[in-house]
């Protein structure tokens, strides 16, 4: 067996993640250096846990898809911790096959390509309605990017849209990356669990309708399992798309030529959404996995029990997989980006996200070809949270 301390690609430096320059449009230059010099390297998470950081496309793909890297082990007692908030057990992202396969089957019908594609006209209508609030001086995140996916996921799950202020008040702090905010993070997570617990109990009493939560109530999931599962769907189903809508618009406006090109050639939108997914990153380092046995990655042996973070953001900028990776090429093809993951944990909401992003951009480009940022986009503030994005995107209309 190789000794990791002397293996090529290994360095003894321990990097702190997320990097200090993580919250910005452009990826930290450290990613490119690591891909070249140390593709599997030691890193220290916010909580002080030492993990391996994997940066090249092929290696990231391996870690995401290979069952020897477990997500269930992340919630086991004594496991290294990546963030301040503790992941909930019994959710899709925190189970391994066969348990994961069993849980995923419960919702795969509701999120299937066919069922989700049928919602496209309704999503488009929502975009059109919300676009009426996109007025001069508005914050695009608040008036459009957040309400759209919240309304969509609430409707699909059977969560009251009117409760959005309430659960958003907890979602914001629950995924903070500030270790000093741990009590606030824990209180917010407790608030979310209590809220979802109440909703699930209410739905069980009310009997069946045709939303996803009702479908889940009819399964053998226990109350706690169902609450964790539903909470994950609610949060994963809006925080991601909301950040991406805002980041996509800002990225296109950052070099206005891209916005103008897409407005002139709307047929490019679906491909542009894929390229924007590759180009903008929701999280610098991704989700922690734990090796169940010794596994060699790029010549480094990751030992059983050790944590591994596979950086999707870095993989998506790897010149081994994408020519001119730092160029935004709206017509890029092929484009096998990893923004939605790969393997058994591939994003459940992938098609829903694609529809939201395509329709959101389509409507904004059509209605507001003259849209501009009210401030230079490079001066906008990024949120230091698990799933990152701009804190606001004030706009002006011409
Ligand atoms: C642009 C928007 C989105 C992006 C970039 C995104 C990205 C991802 C990625 C990278 C993963 C895999 C993580 C891993 O393997 O460690 C994932 C998983 C997941 N996503 Fe998304 N997502 C988006 C939108 C959504 C939406 C709208 C939903 C709605 C339900 C959703 C639900 C989920 C769930 C439940 C998982 C866990 C799947 C599993 O573990 O089997 N996501 N997402």
């Amino acid at each position: 067996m190789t000794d990791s301390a002397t293996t090529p690609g290994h360095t003894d430096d321990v990097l702190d993640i997320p990097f200090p320059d993580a919250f910005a449009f452009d990826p930290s230059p450290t990613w490119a250096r690591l891909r070249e010099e140390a593709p599997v390297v030691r890193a220290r998470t916010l909580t002080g846990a030492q993990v391996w950081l994997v940066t090249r496309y092929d290696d990231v793909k391996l870690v995401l898809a290979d069952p020897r890297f477990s997500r269930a082990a992340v919630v086991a007692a004594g496991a290294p911790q990546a963030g301040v908030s503790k992941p909930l057990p019994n959710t899709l992202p925190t189970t391994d096959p066969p348990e994961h396969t069993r849980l995923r089957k419960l919702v795969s019908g509701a999120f299937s390509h066919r069922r989700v594609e049928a919602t496209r006209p309704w999503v488009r209508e929502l975009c059109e309605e919300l676009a009426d609030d996109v007025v001069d001086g508005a914050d695009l995140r608040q008036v459009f990017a957040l309400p759209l996916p919240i309304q969509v996921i609430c409707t699909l799950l059977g969560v009251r849209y009117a409760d959005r202020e309430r659960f958003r008040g907890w979602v914001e702090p629950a995924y903070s990356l500030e270790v000093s905010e741990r009590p606030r993070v824990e209180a917010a997570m407790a608030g979310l669990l209590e809220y979802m617990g109440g909703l699930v109990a209410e739905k069980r009493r009310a009997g069946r309708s045709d939303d996803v939560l009702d479908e889940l109530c009819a399964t053998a999931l226990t109350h706690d399992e169902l609450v964790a599962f539903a909470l994950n769907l609610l949060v994963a189903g809006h925080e991601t798309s909301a950040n991406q809508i805002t980041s996509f618009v800002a990225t296109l406006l950052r070099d206005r030529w891209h916005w103008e090109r897409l407005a002139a050639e709307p047929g490019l939108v679906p491909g542009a959404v894929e390229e924007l997914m590759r180009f903008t990153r929701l999280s610098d380092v991704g989700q922690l996995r734990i090796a169940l046995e010794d596994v060699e990655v790029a010549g480094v042996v990751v030992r059983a029990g050790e944590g591994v973070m596979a950086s999707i953001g870095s993989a998506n900028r790897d010149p081994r997989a994408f020519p001119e990776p730092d160029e935004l090429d709206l017509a890029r093809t092929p484009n096998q980006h990893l923004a939605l993951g790969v393997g058994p944990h591939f994003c459940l909401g992938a098609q829903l996200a694609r529809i939201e992003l395509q329709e959101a951009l389509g409507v904004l480009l059509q209605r507001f070809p003259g849209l501009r940022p009210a401030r230079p986009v490079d001066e906008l503030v990024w949120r230091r949270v698990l799933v990152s994005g701009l804190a606001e995107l004030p706009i002006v209309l011409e």
Side-chain angles (χ1 to χ4, degrees), residues 120 123-124 127-128 131 140 144-145 148 241 244-253 258-259 262-263 266 268-277 330 353-369 371 393:
R120 189 186 283 273
V123 173
R124 173 102 190 169
C127 291
E128 291 284 3
L140 193 76
F144 187 90
L148 173 68
S241 301
Q244 288 301 69
I245 292 169
T246 318
S247 297
F248 283 15
V249 172
T251 302
L252 292 169
L253 294 175
H258 293 300
W259 182 263
L262 266 195
L268 288 180
V269 166
V273 163
E274 300 306 310
E275 174 67 346
L276 286 158
M277 282 205 209
L330 298 179
R354 286 187 161 118
I355 290 174
E356 289 173 344
L357 293 163
Q358 290 168 8
E359 296 306 327
L361 275 190
V363 166
L364 291 174
L365 286 158
Q366 192 194 19
R367 297 263 300 259
F368 313 109
L371 188 107
L393 178 53

Side-chain angles (χ1 to χ4, degrees), residues 78-93:
Q81 278 251 297
V84 186
S85 62
K86 256 186 144 160
L88 296 171
N90 303 316
T91 66
L92 287 177

Side-chain angles (χ1 to χ4, degrees), residues 53-380:
L53 184 59
V54 174
T55 49
R56 283 187 188 159
Y57 183 89
D58 284 346
D59 303 331
V60 167
K61 215 170 153 183
L62 172 88
V63 172
L64 293 180
D66 192 310
R68 291 173 297 173
F69 294 104
S70 165
R71 284 287 303 156
V74 168
V75 288
Q81 278 251 297
V84 186
S85 62
K86 256 186 144 160
L88 296 171
N90 303 316
T91 66
L92 287 177
T94 51
T95 44
D96 294 335
E99 176 62 1
H100 172 264
T101 320
R102 186 180 72 82
L103 288 181
R104 187 135 176 161
K105 271 200 191 123
L106 302 177
V107 281
S108 54
F111 289 92
S112 70
H113 194 286
R114 189 182 53 81
R115 289 255 303 263
V116 172
E117 197 54 44
T119 67
R120 189 186 283 273
W122 166 64
V123 173
R124 173 102 190 169
E125 243 171 70
L126 284 180
C127 291
E128 291 284 3
E129 279 169 27
L130 290 167
D132 293 340
D133 297 331
V134 178
V135 292
D136 211 34
D139 170 10
L140 193 76
R141 177 176 158 84
Q142 287 304 330
V143 300
F144 187 90
L146 263 172
L148 173 68
I150 294 180
Q151 206 162 329
V152 170
I153 199 69
C154 279
T155 308
L156 294 183
L157 291 184
V159 173
R160 279 185 295 265
Y161 183 59
D163 288 350
R164 64 192 180 281
E165 300 283 327
R166 224 172 133 209
F167 65 73
R168 280 297 306 164
W170 290 307
V171 171
E172 290 277 351
Y175 297 92
S176 160
L177 293 178
E178 307 299 340
V179 178
S180 60
E181 290 184 3
R182 191 183 294 278
R184 203 170 148 243
V185 168
E186 284 169 1
M189 193 49 84
L192 279 172
L193 283 168
E194 198 187 326
Y195 167 74
M196 192 51 87
L199 185 66
V200 165
E202 200 183 299
K203 288 188 87 72
R204 280 199 199 276
R205 278 195 305 272
R208 293 217 56 180
S209 65
D210 59 355
D211 56 52
V212 173
L213 282 192
D214 283 319
E215 280 177 28
L216 289 174
C217 283
T219 67
L221 289 178
T222 66
H223 179 78
D224 288 352
E225 284 172 339
L226 179 41
V227 168
F229 195 110
L231 194 52
N232 172 248
L233 292 177
L234 178 64
V235 177
H238 76 268
E239 191 63 25
T240 44
S241 301
N243 282 309
Q244 288 301 69
I245 292 169
T246 318
S247 297
F248 283 15
V249 172
T251 302
L252 292 169
L253 294 175
R254 198 175 174 215
D255 183 348
R256 228 198 126 63
W257 174 77
H258 293 300
W259 182 263
E260 283 164 8
R261 182 180 178 201
L262 266 195
E265 294 179 73
L268 288 180
V269 166
V273 163
E274 300 306 310
E275 174 67 346
L276 286 158
M277 282 205 209
R278 181 191 74 81
F279 199 77
T280 59
R281 57 202 190 288
L282 272 180
S283 145
D284 236 19
V285 286
Q287 307 242 45
L288 181 67
R289 280 162 166 78
I290 309 282
L292 294 178
E293 55 185 86
D294 292 359
V295 187
E296 192 171 319
V297 184
V300 172
V301 175
V302 175
R303 299 198 190 279
E306 289 184 329
V308 186
M309 307 287 284
S311 172
I312 290 176
S314 172
N316 280 341
R317 297 293 187 109
D318 187 345
R320 290 162 196 77
F322 303 98
E324 303 295 338
D326 295 326
E327 290 295 312
L328 179 70
D329 173 2
L330 298 179
R332 184 181 290 272
T333 174
N335 192 348
Q336 298 294 320
H337 66 74
L338 299 179
L340 296 162
V342 65
H345 292 282
F346 178 72
C347 179
L348 175 78
Q351 190 52 22
L352 183 60
R354 286 187 161 118
I355 290 174
E356 289 173 344
L357 293 163
Q358 290 168 8
E359 296 306 327
L361 275 190
V363 166
L364 291 174
L365 286 158
Q366 192 194 19
R367 297 263 300 259
F368 313 109
L371 188 107
R372 286 180 187 275
R375 289 206 300 279
V377 286
D378 285 315
E379 289 173 17
L380 296 171

